[in-house]
Amino acid sequence: MKRLQLFVFAAVLFWGVGLQKVWAEPSSMNGQYIERLDVFFDASGQLDASDIEEQSWQPLKGMLTGGFKQGAHWLRIRVAAHAEPLVLRVRPTFVDSVEIFTLNPGLDAARTGAPNPELADGRTMTLTPLARLGDQHLNTQSFSTVKLNGLFEIPPSDKAQTFYLRLTSVSSHLLFLEAQTLSDASAFEQNQHLVLGLYLGFLLTFAIWALAQLYLGYDRVIAAFLVKQIADLAYVSGFTGLMGMLLSRAGLGHWADLAFSLSILVVVAAGSFFHASLLGEFRPYKWAIRILWSGVFVLPLGLVLYAVGELQLALITNTVIANLFPLVSLVCALSAGAYRTNKKSELPPSISKFQLVLTYTIFAVSLQVATLPALGLWAGQELALNAFLVHGFITSLFLLALLMTRAKQHERNRLEARSQMSLMEQEVRLLSEKRQEQGRFMAMLVHELKTPLSVIRMVLGGVGIESSLRRAAGRAVLSMSDVIERCRQAEMVQDLDLQMSTFDPIELRDLSLELI
């Protein structure tokens, strides 16, 4: 077990170093080329160029964590002068729509269909669309531009430039912007693909391990873990943009938004199913395990909400449940009654209470860190963007270590049970042989005793012996014969070698008259 724990901690350390290398925050958080980043929220979602500059813009550093909103978030980005082309990286790609505009003077109101504010020289201002990113616009992008992240190329400029982004999404309003040179962007993408490949490889390895265990023998907890890992693979693919990229290149980009939303529901339901199956073995509080089992119904509830058009309500409900259920799981681990049993006949739990509580403490804390930014309750900067991935990786490692310990203990219990069964079979065989020897001895003894008794009975039947003495000797011989017969019958009962006697039917009336 110690070697397994060392492996887990080493893997976590390796993963942390990899994240630090790939997704470490630059000196200015959003890149050295972004001079200023401001934001405001449009609750109506209807503002246009004549309104946005009049809003109260708030400075933003790092990542936007706006939570679940019905309106639109506007971001104003001032990019410093640059002599080489830049790439504006927009993450995550699972948000529905990110529209990029530039505010240009010199266009009259007739071209836009709406009045525009006038400049000092009489010219008007208008928003000119430059690009549309997000999973709702994957089909509008060319095959070569579909990436894991949304990318917008900015040509060289000797002056600072200002861009406007409009974010709308039924999912959480998370957005991280970063301006990079083409070489930096290429290196970032290579590292990102490498880390994502390792991440998916680890999850797939865990799933293969579970599949191999099921091949050796069915186990409901291992089967639930396999379902959870498959759901995690689908969710991570959607969260990182891989699902959208693959669907888009297959001509199914319009399904990316729905596919990722469904994977969110499935991953929570599958997680609840697994944790309830595992923790149920340790007999926690009944009310806690029932709450945990109820998480399985997140999927049908979400599908119903989807069907009636309440997509955002389904995602909010799912996120809140995903935030609360780890705490319920920790309560189940702390209240496990399997560690308080006094019955000697019961096997000890396959996992120590320390391991169980430690795993679910890490599970609860890491998921709180991951879900609070999505709910808009904590501005976790760029860490919030990758918190779900870090949480999934760490908890999968600890759960795998837990399941491997459990499987090892179950195998040890199985071997001990087999050894005990072998000993019992040996004892039964010895008892059977002893019984057979005893039966043979009893049969011989009965035979040897009956012969002299027959001779004695024959002698007593002769002449020259007084009647009283003959009767006394006859009773003694009869008593000895009865004892021998009872011993023989008892041996037959123990050996189950009984012979059923047959009786002829009689008329009780005739028998009574005859006796009278």
Side-chain angles (χ1 to χ4, degrees):
M1 180 58 200
K2 291 183 178 180
R3 284 184 290 181
L4 184 60
Q5 290 176 335
L6 288 176
F7 167 75
V8 170
F9 285 116
V12 171
L13 179 62
F14 169 78
W15 178 250
V17 172
L19 283 180
Q20 180 68 21
K21 179 177 178 60
V22 177
W23 281 306
E25 295 180 0
S27 57
S28 59
M29 287 192 183
N30 300 93
Q32 60 179 341
Y33 294 99
I34 295 183
E35 294 182 342
R36 185 177 178 84
L37 182 60
D38 303 303
V39 63
F40 83 88
F41 179 65
D42 171 20
S44 66
Q46 303 297 323
L47 297 183
D48 54 20
S50 62
D51 305 309
I52 60 173
E53 284 297 337
E54 299 174 1
Q55 303 302 314
S56 176
W57 293 84
Q58 301 295 325
L60 175 67
K61 290 185 178 180
M63 182 173 181
L64 170 66
T65 53
F68 292 87
K69 299 290 181 64
Q70 291 285 349
H73 271 97
W74 284 86
L75 292 91
R76 181 173 61 191
I77 310 169
R78 183 173 177 82
V79 181
H82 47 281
E84 57 180 319
L86 298 180
V87 171
L88 182 65
R89 185 179 301 277
V90 180
R91 293 185 286 163
T93 53
F94 64 76
V95 293
D96 292 345
S97 175
V98 177
E99 299 172 277
I100 303 178
F101 304 90
T102 183
L103 193 60
N104 289 335
L107 299 176
D108 55 19
R111 297 185 61 181
T112 61
N116 294 287
E118 292 188 356
L119 300 176
D121 57 3
R123 292 180 299 164
T124 57
M125 297 175 62
T126 183
L127 284 176
T128 301
L130 299 177
R132 291 189 301 175
L133 307 175
D135 58 10
Q136 288 187 350
H137 306 300
L138 290 176
N139 280 344
T140 64
Q141 302 178 33
S142 63
F143 181 86
S144 60
T145 60
V146 177
K147 306 287 186 181
L148 290 177
N149 312 133
L151 302 177
F152 171 66
E153 295 186 6
I154 304 175
S157 174
D158 55 357
K159 297 181 181 180
Q161 298 173 281
T162 301
F163 299 95
Y164 296 83
L165 276 73
R166 183 175 183 269
L167 166 64
T168 56
S169 183
V170 295
S171 59
S172 179
H173 283 211
L174 296 174
L175 200 65
F176 184 78
L177 305 174
E178 186 176 6
Q180 301 172 323
T181 62
L182 294 180
S183 58
D184 289 342
S186 177
F188 181 92
E189 288 181 6
Q190 290 178 2
N191 291 334
Q192 191 181 36
H193 284 105
L194 175 62
V195 173
L196 180 58
L198 290 174
Y199 190 101
L200 295 176
F202 272 116
L203 294 184
L204 188 59
T205 301
F206 301 160
I208 293 175
W209 174 85
L211 194 61
Q213 292 295 313
L214 290 176
Y215 176 78
L216 297 176
Y218 178 77
D219 186 322
R220 188 181 70 173
V221 175
I222 300 297
F225 181 72
L226 177 61
V227 172
K228 174 186 173 298
Q229 289 305 113
I230 294 174
D232 285 347
L233 282 168
Y235 172 77
V236 170
S237 299
F239 187 88
T240 57
L242 179 62
M243 179 186 295
M245 184 176 71
L246 296 177
L247 289 175
S248 178
R249 296 192 174 188
L252 302 172
H254 56 284
W255 290 104
D257 183 26
L258 180 60
F260 177 63
S261 298
L262 290 177
S263 72
I264 296 175
L265 299 179
V266 172
V267 77
V268 174
S272 298
F273 175 60
F274 165 71
H275 295 296
S277 300
L278 175 62
L279 291 169
E281 293 184 347
F282 301 92
R283 301 199 302 274
Y285 291 147
K286 290 184 178 180
W287 62 266
I289 199 67
R290 287 171 182 170
I291 292 176
L292 202 56
W293 273 114
S294 67
V296 177
F297 298 100
V298 169
L299 181 58
L301 175 62
L303 293 177
V304 171
L305 292 174
Y306 271 24
V308 299
E310 296 292 339
L311 306 183
Q312 192 171 70
L313 179 59
L315 293 176
I316 293 174
T317 303
N318 192 75
T319 305
V320 171
I321 291 175
N323 185 265
L324 294 178
F325 271 39
L327 301 178
V328 179
S329 299
L330 182 57
V331 171
C332 290
L334 291 170
S335 64
Y339 301 99
R340 299 191 299 269
T341 182
N342 294 321
K343 298 179 180 179
K344 295 183 179 180
S345 60
E346 291 187 2
L347 293 174
S350 56
I351 303 169
S352 70
K353 189 169 185 179
F354 172 77
Q355 293 171 316
L356 192 68
V357 173
L358 175 63
T359 299
Y360 278 96
T361 299
I362 294 173
F363 174 58
V365 172
S366 62
L367 195 57
Q368 296 298 315
V369 174
T371 55
L372 289 179
L375 292 171
L377 302 178
W378 174 55
Q381 305 305 336
E382 189 179 3
L383 172 64
L385 191 63
N386 305 308
F388 275 111
L389 302 180
V390 176
H391 156 77
F393 181 78
I394 292 177
T395 54
S396 292
L397 273 178
F398 274 89
L399 288 173
L400 179 65
L402 212 64
L403 292 178
M404 291 177 69
T405 304
R406 174 182 174 273
K408 186 176 181 180
Q409 183 62 40
H410 281 188
E411 180 66 17
R412 187 180 297 114
N413 293 341
R414 188 179 66 83
L415 292 177
E416 290 179 359
R418 179 182 293 178
S419 177
Q420 292 178 359
M421 182 64 69
S422 178
L423 290 175
M424 291 176 63
E425 290 176 352
Q426 186 176 359
E427 291 178 359
V428 169
R429 186 169 60 254
L430 292 175
L431 288 174
S432 177
E433 293 176 356
K434 186 176 180 181
R435 174 62 59 187
Q436 290 176 3
E437 291 178 1
Q438 183 179 354
R440 287 193 295 269
F441 173 76
M442 184 61 67
M444 180 189 68
L445 184 61
V446 168
H447 175 72
E448 294 297 329
L449 288 176
K450 278 190 174 183
T451 301
L453 285 176
S454 299
V455 174
I456 294 172
R457 189 179 293 111
M458 184 177 62
V459 172
L460 291 174
V463 297
I465 301 176
E466 297 181 3
S467 299
S468 59
L469 183 59
R470 183 184 294 111
R471 286 194 297 271
R475 287 194 299 269
V477 170
L478 182 60
S479 178
M480 291 178 64
S481 297
D482 290 342
V483 170
I484 293 172
E485 183 63 22
R486 285 197 296 270
C487 290
R488 188 183 68 83
Q489 292 179 357
E491 185 68 23
M492 293 171 61
V493 169
Q494 291 181 354
D495 294 340
L496 299 179
D497 187 19
L498 301 179
Q499 300 294 331
M500 297 297 295
S501 300
T502 58
F503 298 94
D504 296 329
I506 61 172
E507 290 290 340
L508 291 179
R509 180 175 177 277
D510 295 341
L511 179 62
S512 301
L513 292 175
E514 183 181 350
L515 291 174
I516 292 172

